[in-house]
Amino acid sequence: MAKKVKDAIDKGAKRAKDATDKAAAATKKATDRAAKATKEATDRVAGGAKAAADRVEGARESLKKSGEKLKASGEKIAKQGSAVSMKMLEHAEENTRQAFAAMRAAAAAKNPAEVAKIQGDYLKQQGARALAHAREVGEMILQFGREAMGEGKK
């Protein structure tokens, strides 16, 4: 009888061991699947995060380049505005010299008819100068606009 009890205990122990081994194998398999799924999910999240970071970096670089272009355009506009201002000052100086030359000539005139002729000539010349100056400044402004549009297309 002791042998039967021992055999029963051994048989029960073997079944318990087999059940434990089977449960351990199933648990290991489930754990391995969960670990693999977790790793894949982590990799996808990391890949998504890297892609997002790359897009943010690309946007930052794009903004940086845009800022640099905007700064360069601003500097160019300031230079062009300065060039127009200098040209207008040159025109004002020329007009002032011509006006004083006409006044000197009028002051040295011998009669009123000569003064009238000097004034008439001055007004004709002044009109022609004003037109030439307006064309010159207008052409400068048009050229600046053409350059700006050409750069905008690039």
Side-chain angles (χ1 to χ4, degrees):
M1 182 136 62
K3 180 160 173 49
K4 283 186 182 184
V5 171
K6 182 181 179 289
D7 286 343
I9 291 173
D10 286 344
K11 194 175 188 182
K14 184 174 183 332
R15 282 187 191 153
K17 182 181 179 304
D18 288 345
T20 303
D21 288 348
K22 189 175 181 180
T27 302
K28 182 178 182 321
K29 188 175 179 180
T31 302
D32 289 346
R33 270 195 311 252
K36 182 180 177 184
T38 301
K39 182 182 180 321
E40 289 172 355
T42 301
D43 289 347
R44 282 193 304 270
V45 168
K50 183 176 181 334
D54 290 345
R55 285 192 300 272
V56 167
E57 181 63 22
R60 187 184 72 76
E61 286 298 320
S62 178
L63 284 173
K64 182 180 176 184
K65 288 177 184 176
S66 294
E68 290 169 356
K69 287 179 183 177
L70 199 59
K71 180 181 176 186
S73 292
E75 289 172 352
K76 188 168 187 175
I77 288 170
K79 287 178 185 176
Q80 291 169 341
S82 180
V84 169
S85 295
M86 290 303 292
K87 186 54 70 177
M88 292 177 80
L89 281 172
E90 290 172 14
H91 292 167
E93 288 175 335
E94 182 181 348
N95 289 340
T96 302
R97 280 193 298 277
Q98 294 299 327
F100 276 104
M103 286 190 283
R104 283 188 194 96
K110 301 199 181 349
N111 58 49
E114 195 176 334
V115 171
K117 181 180 179 334
I118 291 169
Q119 287 177 336
D121 290 344
Y122 170 76
L123 289 175
K124 285 179 194 174
Q125 292 169 355
Q126 181 59 26
R129 264 193 313 278
L131 186 60
H133 291 169
R135 282 186 183 138
E136 187 176 7
V137 170
E139 186 55 38
M140 286 177 75
I141 292 170
L142 282 173
Q143 184 60 37
F144 298 153
R146 285 185 201 111
E147 289 174 9
M149 293 303 290
E151 288 178 10
K153 291 178 183 176
K154 292 179 185 174

